[in-house]
């Protein structure tokens, strides 16, 4: 069943169906989880969304 959650980092609401996954991510949304992974490997948080020629 799909449920509505609130991100513990950015406080924005998001929809998810896997409660275990949300628990493993510490209650954070997908965007916040991506940012944490990028930071952990030494990349800037906007690495996936910025233009290559900017």
């Amino acid at each position: 069943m799909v449920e509505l959650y609130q991100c513990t980092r950015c406080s924005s609401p998001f929809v998810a169906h896997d409660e275990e996954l949300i628990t493993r991510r510490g209650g954070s949304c997908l965007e916040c989880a991506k940012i944490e992974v990028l930071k952990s490997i030494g990349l800037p948080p906007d690495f996936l969304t910025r233009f290559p020629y900017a």
Side-chain angles (χ1 to χ4, degrees):
M1 178 177 233
V2 176
E3 296 198 27
L4 184 64
Y5 295 92
Q6 184 172 4
C7 181
T8 57
R9 294 174 193 232
C10 68
S11 298
S12 65
F14 65 97
V15 176
H17 68 275
D18 189 355
E19 189 174 337
E20 289 182 26
L21 177 64
I22 304 303
T23 303
R24 285 193 305 253
R25 289 195 316 216
S28 63
C29 64
L30 183 60
E31 290 302 314
C32 288
K34 282 192 236 180
I35 289 170
E36 287 303 312
V37 168
L38 289 172
K39 284 182 183 178
S40 72
I41 58 175
L43 295 171
D46 65 343
F47 179 76
L48 298 173
T49 56
R50 66 180 173 183
F51 295 110
Y53 302 108

